[in-house]
Amino acid sequence: MGATTPSTLPLAAETATVQYEDWQIADDFAAYKQDFNAWRQQMLQRENDKLDVSRAVFVQPAFEQDVVIDGEVALQLRIKSSADVGLVSAMLVDYGEARRLAATPQPQGVLIDRGTGWQPTPLVEFQLAQPTTEKMISIGHMNLQNRTAPWRVDDLVPDEFVDVTLTLQPTRYRLPAGHQLGVIIYGTDFEMTVRGNQDIRYTIDVEQSQLIVPFQDNTQK
């Protein structure tokens, strides 16, 4: 693997601030608790009016050539919560139609020796699925009351901006030419975080927020 160069990408928006809410109606909340995969699929869709109020979506221009993300992507945010508690989640997304590997491997009709419990077990491989228009690249979460360190409790004043850096899970990912890099910012993650369904409104100061992406050298930034 080669060296990487961090690139600062703006969170472009038509307004100086962007708001979203961390609340679902009771029926949707119950459904998403039962099937977080359905929630995530809807959240990832670029055009989905149902969840627009629950997220802020920022998309970069299409890349003219392949780029490789190699390392930790960081989201630097100036954000405020309408309550004295807060949760920030973010997904990095590849927007562009492509055939991608399915989520689970498929049996290949061959048994291999010394599998589970030292018994013969089917050989499985990941297969290409039908084309999709988006794929999650990486993800991260932060409790705003632990914004300086996981073991430290920081006071959070309602409707007062704070500066945070949310580091996403490290990854190595090739983004094909013509695709767009997006970031979705939201609150509750129905798979990975507490599901409080609190009526909280978040506001992002877009002009004071940015995405830091470690691109592998010799690729377009």
Side-chain angles (χ1 to χ4, degrees):
M1 295 187 292
T4 60
T5 301
S7 294
T8 301
L9 306 179
L11 302 184
E14 296 180 355
T15 55
T17 61
V18 172
Q19 292 186 338
Y20 62 95
E21 299 177 4
D22 193 18
W23 178 83
Q24 304 290 337
I25 62 174
D27 288 347
D28 287 345
F29 183 73
Y32 293 148
K33 285 176 63 178
Q34 292 296 319
D35 187 359
F36 62 78
N37 284 315
W39 164 82
R40 190 174 304 284
Q41 182 179 19
Q42 292 178 31
M43 183 67 79
L44 283 170
Q45 291 171 353
R46 189 168 175 180
E47 303 296 334
N48 191 323
D49 295 341
K50 184 175 183 178
L51 287 175
D52 276 350
V53 71
S54 303
R55 62 182 182 171
V57 182
F58 302 94
V59 183
Q60 300 296 320
F63 290 95
E64 297 179 358
Q65 62 188 51
D66 290 5
V67 295
V68 176
I69 300 169
D70 190 1
E72 293 181 337
V73 174
L75 184 60
Q76 296 178 341
L77 289 176
R78 178 162 291 177
I79 189 170
K80 64 181 179 180
S81 166
S82 62
D84 60 359
V85 296
L87 173 66
V88 177
S89 300
M91 290 188 284
L92 193 69
V93 184
D94 170 2
Y95 286 116
E97 185 168 334
R99 292 190 67 191
R100 300 175 170 96
L101 293 176
T104 56
Q106 299 299 313
Q108 300 301 299
V110 177
L111 293 179
I112 56 175
D113 198 7
R114 298 188 179 89
T116 303
W118 298 97
Q119 299 299 313
T121 189
L123 174 68
V124 295
E125 289 185 355
F126 286 97
Q127 303 292 320
L128 289 173
Q130 293 300 311
T132 58
T133 55
E134 61 280 316
K135 176 180 173 59
M136 185 176 73
I137 302 172
S138 185
I139 194 168
H141 314 278
M142 173 184 287
N143 186 335
L144 288 177
Q145 292 175 284
N146 304 110
R147 59 186 178 272
T148 55
W151 57 88
R152 175 177 172 178
V153 178
D154 303 302
D155 289 335
L156 187 65
V157 179
D159 291 317
E160 184 174 297
F161 280 109
V162 293
D163 294 308
V164 301
T165 298
L166 173 57
T167 302
L168 308 187
Q169 290 293 317
T171 188
R172 179 174 171 83
Y173 186 87
R174 180 177 295 276
L175 198 72
H179 285 214
Q180 294 175 274
L181 184 64
V183 61
I184 302 173
I185 304 171
Y186 57 105
T188 297
D189 189 298
F190 280 85
E191 179 183 7
M192 300 184 179
T193 69
V194 173
R195 307 161 182 168
N197 207 29
Q198 295 168 282
D199 187 7
I200 299 177
R201 182 185 63 258
Y202 295 92
T203 304
I204 299 172
D205 182 342
V206 177
E207 296 177 351
Q208 299 299 319
S209 302
Q210 55 196 0
L211 190 67
I212 310 297
V213 183
F215 287 110
Q216 182 177 300
D217 288 349
N218 301 321
T219 62
Q220 176 183 332
K221 304 175 181 60

mmCIF file of all heavy atoms in Angstrom, residues 140-184:
data_model
loop_
_atom_site.group_PDB
_atom_site.id
_atom_site.type_symbol
_atom_site.label_atom_id
_atom_site.label_comp_id
_atom_site.label_asym_id
_atom_site.label_seq_id
_atom_site.Cartn_x
_atom_site.Cartn_y
_atom_site.Cartn_z
ATOM 1 N N GLY A 140 -19.604 5.515 11.700
ATOM 2 C CA GLY A 140 -19.102 5.918 13.010
ATOM 3 C C GLY A 140 -20.210 6.545 13.840
ATOM 4 O O GLY A 140 -21.236 6.992 13.308
ATOM 5 N N HIS A 141 -20.011 6.570 15.163
ATOM 6 C CA HIS A 141 -21.002 7.106 16.093
ATOM 7 C C HIS A 141 -20.292 7.853 17.222
ATOM 8 O O HIS A 141 -19.173 7.511 17.599
ATOM 9 C CB HIS A 141 -21.854 5.991 16.702
ATOM 10 C CG HIS A 141 -22.354 5.003 15.704
ATOM 11 N ND1 HIS A 141 -23.472 5.232 14.942
ATOM 12 C CD2 HIS A 141 -21.876 3.783 15.343
ATOM 13 C CE1 HIS A 141 -23.669 4.197 14.141
ATOM 14 N NE2 HIS A 141 -22.716 3.305 14.375
ATOM 15 N N MET A 142 -20.971 8.846 17.780
ATOM 16 C CA MET A 142 -20.411 9.600 18.901
ATOM 17 C C MET A 142 -21.520 10.117 19.805
ATOM 18 O O MET A 142 -22.503 10.698 19.335
ATOM 19 C CB MET A 142 -19.581 10.786 18.406
ATOM 20 C CG MET A 142 -19.092 11.715 19.509
ATOM 21 S SD MET A 142 -18.206 13.160 18.891
ATOM 22 C CE MET A 142 -16.671 12.398 18.389
ATOM 23 N N ASN A 143 -21.365 9.905 21.099
ATOM 24 C CA ASN A 143 -22.223 10.541 22.091
ATOM 25 C C ASN A 143 -21.669 11.947 22.331
ATOM 26 O O ASN A 143 -20.496 12.111 22.685
ATOM 27 C CB ASN A 143 -22.196 9.721 23.386
ATOM 28 C CG ASN A 143 -23.178 10.247 24.425
ATOM 29 O OD1 ASN A 143 -23.542 11.415 24.421
ATOM 30 N ND2 ASN A 143 -23.589 9.376 25.330
ATOM 31 N N LEU A 144 -22.487 12.961 22.139
ATOM 32 C CA LEU A 144 -21.998 14.334 22.280
ATOM 33 C C LEU A 144 -21.584 14.671 23.709
ATOM 34 O O LEU A 144 -20.875 15.653 23.931
ATOM 35 C CB LEU A 144 -23.060 15.327 21.800
ATOM 36 C CG LEU A 144 -23.287 15.369 20.288
ATOM 37 C CD1 LEU A 144 -24.402 16.338 19.941
ATOM 38 C CD2 LEU A 144 -22.009 15.736 19.549
ATOM 39 N N GLN A 145 -21.999 13.875 24.668
ATOM 40 C CA GLN A 145 -21.544 14.076 26.039
ATOM 41 C C GLN A 145 -20.207 13.391 26.309
ATOM 42 O O GLN A 145 -19.679 13.504 27.411
ATOM 43 C CB GLN A 145 -22.597 13.562 27.022
ATOM 44 C CG GLN A 145 -23.876 14.406 27.013
ATOM 45 C CD GLN A 145 -24.936 13.809 27.909
ATOM 46 O OE1 GLN A 145 -25.583 12.822 27.570
ATOM 47 N NE2 GLN A 145 -25.111 14.415 29.072
ATOM 48 N N ASN A 146 -19.680 12.702 25.312
ATOM 49 C CA ASN A 146 -18.340 12.098 25.400
ATOM 50 C C ASN A 146 -17.519 12.542 24.206
ATOM 51 O O ASN A 146 -16.775 11.764 23.613
ATOM 52 C CB ASN A 146 -18.435 10.567 25.421
ATOM 53 C CG ASN A 146 -19.314 10.049 26.531
ATOM 54 O OD1 ASN A 146 -20.392 9.533 26.275
ATOM 55 N ND2 ASN A 146 -18.865 10.188 27.771
ATOM 56 N N ARG A 147 -17.633 13.807 23.849
ATOM 57 C CA ARG A 147 -17.030 14.278 22.610
ATOM 58 C C ARG A 147 -15.521 14.487 22.696
ATOM 59 O O ARG A 147 -14.851 14.568 21.664
ATOM 60 C CB ARG A 147 -17.710 15.574 22.148
ATOM 61 C CG ARG A 147 -17.651 16.735 23.126
ATOM 62 C CD ARG A 147 -18.486 17.911 22.617
ATOM 63 N NE ARG A 147 -18.501 19.035 23.556
ATOM 64 C CZ ARG A 147 -19.381 19.149 24.544
ATOM 65 N NH1 ARG A 147 -20.299 18.217 24.735
ATOM 66 N NH2 ARG A 147 -19.341 20.200 25.356
ATOM 67 N N THR A 148 -14.976 14.600 23.895
ATOM 68 C CA THR A 148 -13.524 14.781 24.005
ATOM 69 C C THR A 148 -12.800 13.480 24.323
ATOM 70 O O THR A 148 -11.632 13.326 23.987
ATOM 71 C CB THR A 148 -13.174 15.831 25.083
ATOM 72 O OG1 THR A 148 -13.783 15.446 26.327
ATOM 73 C CG2 THR A 148 -13.689 17.202 24.679
ATOM 74 N N ALA A 149 -13.503 12.539 24.959
ATOM 75 C CA ALA A 149 -12.925 11.226 25.265
ATOM 76 C C ALA A 149 -14.059 10.299 25.695
ATOM 77 O O ALA A 149 -15.027 10.753 26.324
ATOM 78 C CB ALA A 149 -11.878 11.320 26.374
ATOM 79 N N PRO A 150 -13.957 9.012 25.378
ATOM 80 C CA PRO A 150 -15.034 8.083 25.742
ATOM 81 C C PRO A 150 -15.292 8.001 27.238
ATOM 82 O O PRO A 150 -16.412 7.676 27.653
ATOM 83 C CB PRO A 150 -14.529 6.744 25.182
ATOM 84 C CG PRO A 150 -13.555 7.099 24.112
ATOM 85 C CD PRO A 150 -12.898 8.355 24.585
ATOM 86 N N TRP A 151 -14.262 8.257 28.046
ATOM 87 C CA TRP A 151 -14.400 8.117 29.503
ATOM 88 C C TRP A 151 -14.729 9.437 30.204
ATOM 89 O O TRP A 151 -14.869 9.473 31.413
ATOM 90 C CB TRP A 151 -13.093 7.563 30.091
ATOM 91 C CG TRP A 151 -11.897 8.415 29.758
ATOM 92 C CD1 TRP A 151 -11.418 9.497 30.456
ATOM 93 C CD2 TRP A 151 -11.044 8.280 28.622
ATOM 94 N NE1 TRP A 151 -10.327 10.043 29.833
ATOM 95 C CE2 TRP A 151 -10.070 9.298 28.702
ATOM 96 C CE3 TRP A 151 -10.996 7.389 27.550
ATOM 97 C CZ2 TRP A 151 -9.060 9.440 27.747
ATOM 98 C CZ3 TRP A 151 -9.992 7.547 26.602
ATOM 99 C CH2 TRP A 151 -9.043 8.553 26.712
ATOM 100 N N ARG A 152 -14.864 10.516 29.454
ATOM 101 C CA ARG A 152 -15.108 11.829 30.050
ATOM 102 C C ARG A 152 -16.509 12.313 29.710
ATOM 103 O O ARG A 152 -16.948 12.224 28.563
ATOM 104 C CB ARG A 152 -14.078 12.843 29.539
ATOM 105 C CG ARG A 152 -14.336 14.263 30.012
ATOM 106 C CD ARG A 152 -13.243 15.213 29.549
ATOM 107 N NE ARG A 152 -13.580 16.586 29.834
ATOM 108 C CZ ARG A 152 -12.794 17.628 29.582
ATOM 109 N NH1 ARG A 152 -11.607 17.416 29.013
ATOM 110 N NH2 ARG A 152 -13.171 18.846 29.859
ATOM 111 N N VAL A 153 -17.228 12.831 30.711
ATOM 112 C CA VAL A 153 -18.562 13.378 30.496
ATOM 113 C C VAL A 153 -18.458 14.883 30.285
ATOM 114 O O VAL A 153 -17.996 15.607 31.170
ATOM 115 C CB VAL A 153 -19.500 13.065 31.678
ATOM 116 C CG1 VAL A 153 -20.868 13.698 31.446
ATOM 117 C CG2 VAL A 153 -19.636 11.563 31.869
ATOM 118 N N ASP A 154 -18.864 15.335 29.106
ATOM 119 C CA ASP A 154 -18.836 16.767 28.778
ATOM 120 C C ASP A 154 -20.247 17.330 28.847
ATOM 121 O O ASP A 154 -21.194 16.735 28.313
ATOM 122 C CB ASP A 154 -18.289 16.977 27.364
ATOM 123 C CG ASP A 154 -16.904 16.388 27.181
ATOM 124 O OD1 ASP A 154 -16.001 16.787 27.926
ATOM 125 O OD2 ASP A 154 -16.738 15.522 26.298
ATOM 126 N N ASP A 155 -20.400 18.467 29.510
ATOM 127 C CA ASP A 155 -21.707 19.109 29.540
ATOM 128 C C ASP A 155 -22.127 19.506 28.125
ATOM 129 O O ASP A 155 -21.304 19.935 27.307
ATOM 130 C CB ASP A 155 -21.670 20.356 30.421
ATOM 131 C CG ASP A 155 -21.537 20.009 31.900
ATOM 132 O OD1 ASP A 155 -21.951 18.892 32.273
ATOM 133 O OD2 ASP A 155 -21.021 20.851 32.653
ATOM 134 N N LEU A 156 -23.409 19.361 27.845
ATOM 135 C CA LEU A 156 -23.958 19.747 26.550
ATOM 136 C C LEU A 156 -25.103 20.718 26.800
ATOM 137 O O LEU A 156 -26.133 20.343 27.368
ATOM 138 C CB LEU A 156 -24.447 18.521 25.784
ATOM 139 C CG LEU A 156 -24.889 18.757 24.343
ATOM 140 C CD1 LEU A 156 -23.714 19.208 23.479
ATOM 141 C CD2 LEU A 156 -25.527 17.506 23.755
ATOM 142 N N VAL A 157 -24.913 21.954 26.408
ATOM 143 C CA VAL A 157 -25.934 22.990 26.613
ATOM 144 C C VAL A 157 -26.880 22.980 25.409
ATOM 145 O O VAL A 157 -26.418 23.055 24.260
ATOM 146 C CB VAL A 157 -25.281 24.377 26.769
ATOM 147 C CG1 VAL A 157 -26.356 25.452 26.957
ATOM 148 C CG2 VAL A 157 -24.300 24.372 27.933
ATOM 149 N N PRO A 158 -28.185 22.892 25.634
ATOM 150 C CA PRO A 158 -29.128 22.884 24.516
ATOM 151 C C PRO A 158 -28.961 24.109 23.619
ATOM 152 O O PRO A 158 -28.770 25.233 24.097
ATOM 153 C CB PRO A 158 -30.500 22.882 25.204
ATOM 154 C CG PRO A 158 -30.245 22.256 26.534
ATOM 155 C CD PRO A 158 -28.875 22.716 26.934
ATOM 156 N N ASP A 159 -29.006 23.859 22.307
ATOM 157 C CA ASP A 159 -28.949 24.912 21.284
ATOM 158 C C ASP A 159 -27.670 25.739 21.341
ATOM 159 O O ASP A 159 -27.660 26.915 20.970
ATOM 160 C CB ASP A 159 -30.179 25.827 21.384
ATOM 161 C CG ASP A 159 -31.450 25.111 20.961
ATOM 162 O OD1 ASP A 159 -31.410 24.384 19.945
ATOM 163 O OD2 ASP A 159 -32.472 25.259 21.646
ATOM 164 N N GLU A 160 -26.593 25.118 21.790
ATOM 165 C CA GLU A 160 -25.281 25.774 21.785
ATOM 166 C C GLU A 160 -24.316 24.925 20.959
ATOM 167 O O GLU A 160 -24.131 23.738 21.233
ATOM 168 C CB GLU A 160 -24.759 25.947 23.201
ATOM 169 C CG GLU A 160 -23.438 26.709 23.278
ATOM 170 C CD GLU A 160 -23.023 26.979 24.709
ATOM 171 O OE1 GLU A 160 -23.767 27.706 25.400
ATOM 172 O OE2 GLU A 160 -21.965 26.460 25.138
ATOM 173 N N PHE A 161 -23.690 25.519 19.946
ATOM 174 C CA PHE A 161 -22.816 24.773 19.051
ATOM 175 C C PHE A 161 -21.584 24.242 19.785
ATOM 176 O O PHE A 161 -21.026 24.910 20.668
ATOM 177 C CB PHE A 161 -22.348 25.651 17.885
ATOM 178 C CG PHE A 161 -23.355 25.799 16.782
ATOM 179 C CD1 PHE A 161 -24.013 27.001 16.581
ATOM 180 C CD2 PHE A 161 -23.645 24.732 15.941
ATOM 181 C CE1 PHE A 161 -24.940 27.144 15.559
ATOM 182 C CE2 PHE A 161 -24.570 24.859 14.910
ATOM 183 C CZ PHE A 161 -25.224 26.063 14.720
ATOM 184 N N VAL A 162 -21.181 23.036 19.398
ATOM 185 C CA VAL A 162 -19.926 22.458 19.867
ATOM 186 C C VAL A 162 -19.176 21.935 18.640
ATOM 187 O O VAL A 162 -19.777 21.616 17.609
ATOM 188 C CB VAL A 162 -20.143 21.307 20.872
ATOM 189 C CG1 VAL A 162 -20.750 21.829 22.163
ATOM 190 C CG2 VAL A 162 -21.011 20.211 20.273
ATOM 191 N N ASP A 163 -17.860 21.867 18.755
ATOM 192 C CA ASP A 163 -17.021 21.335 17.678
ATOM 193 C C ASP A 163 -16.607 19.917 18.035
ATOM 194 O O ASP A 163 -16.086 19.665 19.130
ATOM 195 C CB ASP A 163 -15.775 22.209 17.481
ATOM 196 C CG ASP A 163 -16.140 23.596 16.966
ATOM 197 O OD1 ASP A 163 -16.860 23.680 15.956
ATOM 198 O OD2 ASP A 163 -15.702 24.596 17.578
ATOM 199 N N VAL A 164 -16.836 18.993 17.109
ATOM 200 C CA VAL A 164 -16.508 17.594 17.345
ATOM 201 C C VAL A 164 -15.796 17.022 16.126
ATOM 202 O O VAL A 164 -15.970 17.516 14.995
ATOM 203 C CB VAL A 164 -17.760 16.746 17.651
ATOM 204 C CG1 VAL A 164 -18.483 17.287 18.873
ATOM 205 C CG2 VAL A 164 -18.703 16.690 16.458
ATOM 206 N N THR A 165 -15.009 15.990 16.361
ATOM 207 C CA THR A 165 -14.392 15.220 15.278
ATOM 208 C C THR A 165 -14.830 13.772 15.426
ATOM 209 O O THR A 165 -14.501 13.117 16.423
ATOM 210 C CB THR A 165 -12.858 15.317 15.315
ATOM 211 O OG1 THR A 165 -12.467 16.690 15.125
ATOM 212 C CG2 THR A 165 -12.246 14.474 14.202
ATOM 213 N N LEU A 166 -15.579 13.299 14.465
ATOM 214 C CA LEU A 166 -16.072 11.926 14.454
ATOM 215 C C LEU A 166 -15.229 11.130 13.457
ATOM 216 O O LEU A 166 -15.260 11.403 12.256
ATOM 217 C CB LEU A 166 -17.547 11.889 14.065
ATOM 218 C CG LEU A 166 -18.184 10.513 13.856
ATOM 219 C CD1 LEU A 166 -18.044 9.652 15.112
ATOM 220 C CD2 LEU A 166 -19.637 10.653 13.460
ATOM 221 N N THR A 167 -14.475 10.153 13.971
ATOM 222 C CA THR A 167 -13.636 9.323 13.117
ATOM 223 C C THR A 167 -14.386 8.047 12.761
ATOM 224 O O THR A 167 -14.873 7.336 13.641
ATOM 225 C CB THR A 167 -12.321 8.970 13.838
ATOM 226 O OG1 THR A 167 -11.652 10.183 14.195
ATOM 227 C CG2 THR A 167 -11.411 8.159 12.927
ATOM 228 N N LEU A 168 -14.471 7.756 11.474
ATOM 229 C CA LEU A 168 -15.180 6.571 11.014
ATOM 230 C C LEU A 168 -14.253 5.353 11.038
ATOM 231 O O LEU A 168 -13.037 5.480 11.173
ATOM 232 C CB LEU A 168 -15.720 6.800 9.601
ATOM 233 C CG LEU A 168 -16.560 8.068 9.390
ATOM 234 C CD1 LEU A 168 -17.159 8.071 7.985
ATOM 235 C CD2 LEU A 168 -17.647 8.204 10.435
ATOM 236 N N GLN A 169 -14.839 4.180 10.906
ATOM 237 C CA GLN A 169 -14.057 2.950 10.912
ATOM 238 C C GLN A 169 -13.050 2.967 9.763
ATOM 239 O O GLN A 169 -13.376 3.357 8.638
ATOM 240 C CB GLN A 169 -14.983 1.732 10.754
ATOM 241 C CG GLN A 169 -15.845 1.452 11.965
ATOM 242 C CD GLN A 169 -15.014 1.011 13.158
ATOM 243 O OE1 GLN A 169 -14.097 0.219 13.029
ATOM 244 N NE2 GLN A 169 -15.347 1.533 14.321
ATOM 245 N N PRO A 170 -11.794 2.554 10.021
ATOM 246 C CA PRO A 170 -10.777 2.542 8.954
ATOM 247 C C PRO A 170 -11.223 1.645 7.799
ATOM 248 O O PRO A 170 -11.888 0.624 8.002
ATOM 249 C CB PRO A 170 -9.541 1.972 9.642
ATOM 250 C CG PRO A 170 -9.788 2.137 11.106
ATOM 251 C CD PRO A 170 -11.260 2.058 11.302
ATOM 252 N N THR A 171 -10.847 2.022 6.597
ATOM 253 C CA THR A 171 -11.242 1.244 5.430
ATOM 254 C C THR A 171 -10.244 1.439 4.302
ATOM 255 O O THR A 171 -9.469 2.406 4.297
ATOM 256 C CB THR A 171 -12.648 1.660 4.948
ATOM 257 O OG1 THR A 171 -13.090 0.770 3.923
ATOM 258 C CG2 THR A 171 -12.639 3.078 4.394
ATOM 259 N N ARG A 172 -10.258 0.511 3.373
ATOM 260 C CA ARG A 172 -9.563 0.678 2.097
ATOM 261 C C ARG A 172 -10.606 0.379 1.031
ATOM 262 O O ARG A 172 -11.106 -0.743 0.938
ATOM 263 C CB ARG A 172 -8.360 -0.253 1.971
ATOM 264 C CG ARG A 172 -7.628 -0.111 0.629
ATOM 265 C CD ARG A 172 -6.352 -0.929 0.595
ATOM 266 N NE ARG A 172 -5.782 -0.948 -0.749
ATOM 267 C CZ ARG A 172 -5.006 0.000 -1.260
ATOM 268 N NH1 ARG A 172 -4.689 1.066 -0.520
ATOM 269 N NH2 ARG A 172 -4.524 -0.095 -2.485
ATOM 270 N N TYR A 173 -10.900 1.391 0.229
ATOM 271 C CA TYR A 173 -12.023 1.267 -0.693
ATOM 272 C C TYR A 173 -11.719 2.028 -1.980
ATOM 273 O O TYR A 173 -11.291 3.187 -1.942
ATOM 274 C CB TYR A 173 -13.288 1.828 -0.042
ATOM 275 C CG TYR A 173 -14.549 1.619 -0.838
ATOM 276 C CD1 TYR A 173 -15.289 0.448 -0.703
ATOM 277 C CD2 TYR A 173 -15.001 2.587 -1.734
ATOM 278 C CE1 TYR A 173 -16.454 0.241 -1.433
ATOM 279 C CE2 TYR A 173 -16.164 2.402 -2.472
ATOM 280 C CZ TYR A 173 -16.884 1.227 -2.322
ATOM 281 O OH TYR A 173 -18.027 1.030 -3.049
ATOM 282 N N ARG A 174 -11.973 1.363 -3.101
ATOM 283 C CA ARG A 174 -11.797 2.006 -4.407
ATOM 284 C C ARG A 174 -13.127 2.556 -4.891
ATOM 285 O O ARG A 174 -14.098 1.811 -5.035
ATOM 286 C CB ARG A 174 -11.237 1.024 -5.430
ATOM 287 C CG ARG A 174 -11.023 1.657 -6.827
ATOM 288 C CD ARG A 174 -10.397 0.669 -7.796
ATOM 289 N NE ARG A 174 -9.056 0.319 -7.365
ATOM 290 C CZ ARG A 174 -7.964 1.024 -7.634
ATOM 291 N NH1 ARG A 174 -8.073 2.149 -8.351
ATOM 292 N NH2 ARG A 174 -6.792 0.642 -7.202
ATOM 293 N N LEU A 175 -13.166 3.852 -5.132
ATOM 294 C CA LEU A 175 -14.353 4.519 -5.646
ATOM 295 C C LEU A 175 -14.182 4.704 -7.152
ATOM 296 O O LEU A 175 -13.272 5.416 -7.588
ATOM 297 C CB LEU A 175 -14.536 5.871 -4.959
ATOM 298 C CG LEU A 175 -15.898 6.535 -5.043
ATOM 299 C CD1 LEU A 175 -16.909 5.794 -4.172
ATOM 300 C CD2 LEU A 175 -15.817 7.993 -4.614
ATOM 301 N N PRO A 176 -14.995 4.043 -7.970
ATOM 302 C CA PRO A 176 -14.797 4.107 -9.422
ATOM 303 C C PRO A 176 -15.057 5.496 -10.000
ATOM 304 O O PRO A 176 -15.806 6.297 -9.439
ATOM 305 C CB PRO A 176 -15.825 3.093 -9.962
ATOM 306 C CG PRO A 176 -16.195 2.239 -8.793
ATOM 307 C CD PRO A 176 -16.081 3.125 -7.594
ATOM 308 N N ALA A 177 -14.441 5.747 -11.144
ATOM 309 C CA ALA A 177 -14.679 6.996 -11.865
ATOM 310 C C ALA A 177 -16.165 7.149 -12.158
ATOM 311 O O ALA A 177 -16.856 6.174 -12.471
ATOM 312 C CB ALA A 177 -13.878 7.004 -13.154
ATOM 313 N N GLY A 178 -16.664 8.373 -12.034
ATOM 314 C CA GLY A 178 -18.069 8.649 -12.282
ATOM 315 C C GLY A 178 -18.944 8.511 -11.055
ATOM 316 O O GLY A 178 -20.093 8.961 -11.064
ATOM 317 N N HIS A 179 -18.424 7.876 -9.981
ATOM 318 C CA HIS A 179 -19.196 7.745 -8.748
ATOM 319 C C HIS A 179 -19.015 8.988 -7.880
ATOM 320 O O HIS A 179 -18.094 9.782 -8.086
ATOM 321 C CB HIS A 179 -18.753 6.506 -7.980
ATOM 322 C CG HIS A 179 -19.256 5.229 -8.578
ATOM 323 N ND1 HIS A 179 -19.598 4.125 -7.837
ATOM 324 C CD2 HIS A 179 -19.486 4.883 -9.877
ATOM 325 C CE1 HIS A 179 -20.010 3.153 -8.631
ATOM 326 N NE2 HIS A 179 -19.941 3.585 -9.877
ATOM 327 N N GLN A 180 -19.908 9.142 -6.912
ATOM 328 C CA GLN A 180 -19.855 10.273 -5.993
ATOM 329 C C GLN A 180 -19.688 9.772 -4.567
ATOM 330 O O GLN A 180 -20.237 8.728 -4.186
ATOM 331 C CB GLN A 180 -21.129 11.118 -6.104
ATOM 332 C CG GLN A 180 -21.287 11.813 -7.439
ATOM 333 C CD GLN A 180 -22.613 12.533 -7.544
ATOM 334 O OE1 GLN A 180 -23.619 11.949 -7.922
ATOM 335 N NE2 GLN A 180 -22.618 13.820 -7.202
ATOM 336 N N LEU A 181 -18.935 10.522 -3.787
ATOM 337 C CA LEU A 181 -18.730 10.213 -2.381
ATOM 338 C C LEU A 181 -19.711 11.021 -1.555
ATOM 339 O O LEU A 181 -19.776 12.243 -1.662
ATOM 340 C CB LEU A 181 -17.294 10.549 -1.971
ATOM 341 C CG LEU A 181 -16.878 10.184 -0.543
ATOM 342 C CD1 LEU A 181 -16.911 8.668 -0.354
ATOM 343 C CD2 LEU A 181 -15.488 10.736 -0.242
ATOM 344 N N GLY A 182 -20.489 10.333 -0.728
ATOM 345 C CA GLY A 182 -21.468 11.015 0.096
ATOM 346 C C GLY A 182 -21.269 10.721 1.567
ATOM 347 O O GLY A 182 -20.626 9.730 1.935
ATOM 348 N N VAL A 183 -21.803 11.580 2.413
ATOM 349 C CA VAL A 183 -21.823 11.321 3.853
ATOM 350 C C VAL A 183 -23.224 11.639 4.359
ATOM 351 O O VAL A 183 -23.808 12.676 4.024
ATOM 352 C CB VAL A 183 -20.750 12.140 4.609
ATOM 353 C CG1 VAL A 183 -20.951 13.636 4.446
ATOM 354 C CG2 VAL A 183 -20.721 11.752 6.083
ATOM 355 N N ILE A 184 -23.779 10.692 5.111
ATOM 356 C CA ILE A 184 -25.099 10.848 5.705
ATOM 357 C C ILE A 184 -24.913 11.027 7.207
ATOM 358 O O ILE A 184 -24.296 10.181 7.867
ATOM 359 C CB ILE A 184 -25.984 9.615 5.442
ATOM 360 C CG1 ILE A 184 -26.124 9.369 3.935
ATOM 361 C CG2 ILE A 184 -27.360 9.802 6.070
ATOM 362 C CD1 ILE A 184 -26.838 8.067 3.602
#
